[in-house]
Amino acid sequence: MNPNQTVEDESQPSITAMTRRIQRLSIHLTPLPLFQPSPQLNMLTCAKANKLEFDKGSLSSYMRGKYRESQEKVLEFFKSRPYLQTPIEISMNEHRELCMRQLMALVREAKIKPFRYIVEDPAKYFAIAEAVGNIDISLGIKLGVHCSLWGGSVLNLGTKKHRDKYFDGIDNLDYLGCFAMTELHHGSNVQGLQTIATFDRITDEFIIDTPNDGAIKWWIGNAAVHGKFATVFAKLILTTHDSKGDSDMGVHGFIVPIRDLKTHQTLPGIEIHDCGHKIGLNGVDNGALRFCSVRIPRDNLLNRFGDVSRDGKYTSSLPTINKRFAAMLGELVGGRVGLASSSVGFLKIAVTIAVRYSLLRQQFGPPKQPEVSILDYQSHQHKLMPMLASTYAFHFATRDLVDKYSEIKKTHNEQLVGDVHALSAGLKSYVTSYTAKSLSTCREACGGHGYAAVNRLGSLRNDHDIFQTFEGDNTVLLQQVAGDLLKQYKDKFQGGPLSVTWNYLRESMNTYLSQPNPVTARWESADHLRDPKFQLDAFRYRTSRLLQSAVARLRKHSKTHGSFGAWNRCLNHLLTLAESFIESVILAKFIEAVQNCPDASSRAALKLVCDLYALDRIWNDIGTYRNVDYVAPNKAKAIHKLTEYLSFQVRNIAGELVDAFDLPPYVTRAPLAMKSEAYAQYTQLVGF
């Protein structure tokens, strides 16, 4: 068989499918002589020759921000200590003990104490937590449970007496702790928790009880092996000894010791069971807790929002259970902020691995020509380039969220508190859901090699999967965002105040809801489509239309189904509304980041990536815009063509863009992410 013969050779019209396959295989097995580049390759070469040049160092510095040195200190510490690095193959028990040693070394040997930054500088805490998660995400979660959840609950729900008593022990890991909120029968519905804390006026103590199996605290991080304390969330019950019966004052947090500080033995009245091996995060020791008449001092009530006096009287600055509950949850949003930020870290690693592999890997090509990079195929660009653009978009959106959270911790701005509560819910939900899907896409994009454990995509996917559930189920969180939007809509038309993020509803709702301009609906020039105003207006128009129609549908269905039934009938619509709003927020922050970038070449690169992010989202929902004639057919076609063009242009600088994440080889670790050394590293691992 002539190896130079191709399947496109029309001189053999009767060739069978089997023969064609054999010919194709023979081309791979026998090197072809070099010919002059085909017209397709000429186009490719021309486009690559005109690719955008930018300063990777400047872009990286702009993205990493002022905590770069703190992160590098963490990474260098673990890089220099191989015995603290997590191997690919490790048992659950070994992984748990290694994570504990890693945490102890970080705090006691490296003298890096993240807990103190929870209050002093939350942005620095999140930067350190991201770096720690890059070492081992189980370590990052263990750190987060101890510092952000257990420690954060003491700082944010307690008062001075609690901080004075527990701060040093939490900071130096003597008081390793847990966050016991979730129960076997209740997760998202925190107000439905069944664990009870009854005040005993005679002994001046609270009695913590698990009334039934459904109230067993479940999936409690650090509980199975290492935890010594837990913040236990329970209904506070006051016994009145009169005809009114007991008074339920709502869910409160209580500090409950669970193990002896010296012997580490489980304390009387407490049962601890191991939740066992999980899909991922097996370095975290999740356990189940049952309480049987466990007595704790009255001072162990975290009493910032409600207190009980010695004679059993309840006092609070907030008049209702619902207001106290909302205030308590509002102080715990730091966990959601951290998860959104950490999820972007996962996405950076996965995209870096997939892009570098796709640039190196070559398959097929024009007849009688060398094979081309798989990232030159439009289908592969479609998988990875919008994802790369989204990674940049999410980076800037979550960084802004972290900055806002840091500000409220310093200023206690009440208006900003509500804003951060809704944004943290929306971004945590949206980003973690997107990352979960993208991790599978990156695995697929790396073909069979992506299935090797050493290339990390499987462990990244498994470890990240639970991000969609803990700290609030993503579907529930999106409903919170939708509920806030509906409240803002109501306030807008009743003249009430609007929060910072939602203020565009007041400024331009009427414009967005007016009939689309038949002239601008047909504009199709690249300058117009790449105009940030057009892009952001399109996103906000979609959100405003969805909001208006959601209000109309809820009003209609509430007449026959009641408010709960109407909400359920419109639930998918409301989830789409929330996602649309969060996409608008993300784009707005990306546009702002582009405009604020000080280096001109980096700004041009970010503008290209931002345009791809915006137009890809518009094209993905083009039906919505076409249905209301916001975009005419010719304009829709122009958006599609420009999106493909931008995707190819981003492909030309994809290697530089992932380099700008500045992830050292120790972080990515996967041989597929080792650029030109990938195959050499990979083959050595299997013994060649």
Side-chain angles (χ1 to χ4, degrees):
M1 182 182 296
N2 179 6
N4 292 333
Q5 191 176 27
T6 70
V7 295
E8 288 80 8
D9 190 343
E10 298 180 357
S11 63
Q12 298 184 20
S14 61
I15 193 169
T16 65
M18 182 177 292
T19 304
R20 287 199 299 269
R21 181 62 179 159
I22 292 172
Q23 285 182 318
R24 176 66 72 184
L25 290 173
S26 72
I27 292 173
H28 285 283
L29 295 172
T30 307
L32 295 174
L34 294 176
F35 290 84
Q36 290 298 317
S38 67
Q40 297 99 315
L41 284 182
N42 278 330
M43 286 177 54
L44 202 64
T45 304
C46 180
K48 289 179 180 178
N50 295 326
K51 80 173 188 177
L52 181 66
E53 300 290 342
F54 67 95
D55 186 340
K56 287 189 299 184
S58 295
L59 179 56
S60 180
S61 296
Y62 180 58
M63 293 186 67
R64 291 285 296 274
K66 61 181 179 179
Y67 300 111
R68 184 173 189 162
E69 289 186 6
S70 298
Q71 291 182 318
E72 289 179 348
K73 183 179 179 182
V74 172
L75 298 175
E76 284 300 318
F77 175 77
F78 284 98
K79 181 181 178 182
S80 64
R81 291 161 176 79
Y83 59 90
L84 290 176
Q85 297 172 14
T86 306
I88 297 169
E89 298 183 37
I90 185 171
S91 70
M92 179 186 73
N93 291 334
E94 290 172 334
H95 197 179
R96 288 174 170 182
E97 291 308 312
L98 175 60
C99 271
M100 190 64 205
R101 291 198 303 273
Q102 290 171 331
L103 183 57
M104 297 287 276
L106 178 74
V107 172
R108 296 182 178 179
E109 188 178 340
K111 306 298 182 185
I112 298 172
K113 297 186 175 182
F115 177 62
R116 60 187 55 188
Y117 300 120
I118 292 280
V119 173
E120 293 176 9
D121 191 349
K124 186 172 183 177
Y125 167 78
F126 289 120
I128 292 173
E130 180 183 355
V132 169
N134 285 337
I135 303 303
D136 184 335
I137 191 58
S138 286
L139 173 61
I141 296 301
K142 193 172 187 70
L143 171 74
V145 169
H146 175 72
C147 291
S148 182
L149 296 182
W150 149 242
S153 64
V154 172
L155 294 180
N156 296 319
L157 302 182
T159 50
K160 183 178 183 298
K161 63 183 178 183
H162 300 110
R163 290 190 285 272
D164 290 346
K165 183 175 182 178
Y166 293 99
F167 187 95
D168 289 342
I170 297 173
D171 190 44
N172 63 26
L173 301 182
D174 284 342
Y175 295 169
L176 196 79
C178 317
F179 186 79
M181 179 177 280
T182 299
E183 295 178 355
L184 184 59
H185 283 181
H186 287 88
S188 297
N189 183 14
V190 178
Q191 281 188 297
L193 295 180
Q194 296 177 299
T195 302
I196 57 175
T198 307
F199 182 62
D200 185 342
R201 277 187 283 183
I202 297 175
T203 62
D204 196 27
E205 295 173 317
F206 284 102
I207 305 171
I208 311 296
D209 270 304
T210 302
N212 54 65
D213 286 352
I216 295 172
K217 296 296 182 180
W218 208 269
W219 292 124
I220 309 306
N222 290 340
V225 180
H226 299 125
K228 292 182 172 66
F229 290 87
T231 295
V232 176
F233 290 86
K235 290 183 177 179
L236 195 164
I237 305 297
L238 295 179
T239 304
T240 58
H241 302 292
D242 57 26
S243 59
K244 295 181 180 179
D246 295 343
S247 297
D248 180 357
M249 308 311 296
V251 174
H252 290 64
F254 300 84
I255 295 176
V256 181
I258 61 174
R259 288 187 174 91
D260 187 276
L261 289 176
K262 294 181 179 178
T263 67
H264 203 63
Q265 294 299 307
T266 304
L267 293 174
I270 296 173
E271 290 182 42
I272 303 178
H273 296 274
D274 198 323
C275 289
H277 199 275
K278 307 182 293 290
I279 291 175
L281 296 179
N282 282 299
V284 182
D285 52 310
N286 293 89
L289 301 172
R290 185 202 295 269
F291 305 96
C292 182
S293 298
V294 176
R295 290 179 173 270
I296 58 173
R298 178 168 54 90
D299 278 350
N300 283 27
L301 166 66
L302 294 171
N303 62 337
R304 178 179 172 187
F305 298 114
D307 202 1
V308 175
S309 64
R310 177 66 183 84
D311 60 357
K313 292 182 179 179
Y314 184 85
T315 56
S316 174
S317 59
L318 301 170
T320 66
I321 287 178
N322 286 340
K323 286 186 179 295
R324 291 193 292 271
F325 179 74
M328 178 184 73
L329 289 189
E331 288 299 320
L332 301 176
V333 300
R336 294 173 185 170
V337 175
L339 286 182
S341 179
S342 295
S343 186
V344 179
F346 273 83
L347 196 53
K348 287 176 183 176
I349 294 172
V351 168
T352 297
I353 294 170
V355 165
R356 287 180 177 168
Y357 172 78
S358 300
L359 287 167
L360 178 70
R361 179 74 167 183
Q362 296 179 333
Q363 291 288 285
F364 306 109
K368 303 178 182 179
Q369 297 298 319
E371 293 182 307
V372 299
S373 163
I374 60 174
L375 200 53
D376 286 333
Y377 289 100
Q378 190 180 67
S379 57
H380 221 69
Q381 293 169 17
H382 181 70
K383 286 179 183 178
L384 297 181
M385 295 305 97
M387 187 191 302
L388 177 56
S390 297
T391 307
Y392 270 84
F394 297 167
H395 169 85
F396 291 114
T398 54
R399 188 172 73 177
D400 177 75
L401 176 62
V402 167
D403 290 342
K404 279 188 169 68
Y405 178 78
S406 299
E407 184 178 344
I408 65 171
K409 286 299 172 186
K410 295 174 182 177
T411 66
H412 304 288
N413 183 323
E414 289 299 322
Q415 188 177 14
L416 201 56
V417 167
D419 208 24
V420 169
H421 182 72
L423 279 179
S424 63
L427 282 171
K428 182 269 181 184
S429 176
Y430 188 90
V431 171
T432 59
S433 292
Y434 184 93
T435 298
K437 297 181 180 70
S438 297
L439 289 167
S440 289
T441 301
C442 287
R443 205 294 304 156
E444 179 188 349
C446 292
H449 296 306
Y451 199 62
V454 71
N455 286 318
R456 298 200 64 201
L457 294 170
S459 61
L460 287 170
R461 181 178 59 190
N462 290 348
D463 285 344
H464 179 274
D465 195 61
I466 194 61
F467 278 48
Q468 300 173 93
T469 303
F470 60 16
E471 288 295 315
D473 174 84
N474 282 358
T475 301
V476 174
L477 294 182
L478 285 178
Q479 291 180 69
Q480 290 183 16
V481 176
D484 281 324
L485 282 167
L486 291 167
K487 181 179 183 299
Q488 295 296 330
Y489 182 94
K490 179 181 178 181
D491 290 344
K492 186 265 179 189
F493 286 105
Q494 292 184 352
L498 285 179
S499 62
V500 178
T501 303
W502 283 264
N503 59 14
Y504 75 82
L505 287 172
R506 177 183 290 263
E507 295 171 356
S508 48
M509 175 71 90
N510 293 333
T511 300
Y512 292 137
L513 297 182
S514 62
Q515 286 297 108
N517 187 320
V519 177
T520 58
R522 286 165 173 75
W523 286 355
E524 56 183 277
S525 71
D527 288 343
H528 168 65
L529 298 179
R530 297 186 68 176
D531 184 345
K533 185 179 186 308
F534 159 72
Q535 297 165 1
L536 197 52
D537 279 354
F539 276 50
R540 289 177 169 176
Y541 175 84
R542 178 183 56 170
T543 302
S544 298
R545 295 289 300 192
L546 286 166
L547 179 55
Q548 185 192 46
S549 56
V551 170
R553 290 188 65 200
L554 286 168
R555 285 174 179 165
K556 173 185 174 182
H557 290 301
S558 62
K559 295 176 182 178
T560 53
H561 300 285
S563 58
F564 181 85
W567 186 271
N568 195 34
R569 289 289 295 269
C570 300
L571 188 51
N572 289 335
H573 186 148
L574 294 166
L575 297 177
T576 303
L577 164 64
E579 289 176 340
S580 175
F581 170 72
I582 292 301
E583 288 182 350
S584 298
V585 172
I586 292 170
L587 178 61
K589 294 306 171 186
F590 200 175
I591 290 171
E592 184 179 305
V594 173
Q595 294 170 343
N596 292 337
C597 183
D599 177 68
S601 67
S602 299
R603 188 164 59 250
L606 287 176
K607 178 66 169 70
L608 175 63
V609 175
C610 184
D611 288 341
L612 175 59
Y613 172 79
L615 294 177
D616 179 71
R617 289 296 189 281
I618 293 172
W619 173 250
N620 286 340
D621 201 18
I622 198 66
T624 296
Y625 296 104
R626 284 290 303 115
N627 285 342
V628 293
D629 289 326
Y630 190 84
V631 171
N634 65 312
K635 188 170 187 174
K637 187 175 181 180
I639 290 171
H640 185 214
K641 287 184 176 180
L642 183 56
T643 302
E644 290 183 343
Y645 171 79
L646 293 173
S647 183
F648 187 77
Q649 291 300 315
V650 171
R651 174 260 174 267
N652 288 341
I653 58 172
E656 291 87 343
L657 287 170
V658 297
D659 287 349
F661 293 149
D662 199 22
L663 299 175
Y666 172 62
V667 170
T668 53
R669 294 200 289 281
L672 296 188
M674 300 295 181
K675 300 184 180 180
S676 60
E677 298 85 15
Y679 287 125
Q681 296 270 347
Y682 198 28
T683 53
Q684 289 173 15
L685 285 168
V686 294
F688 287 101

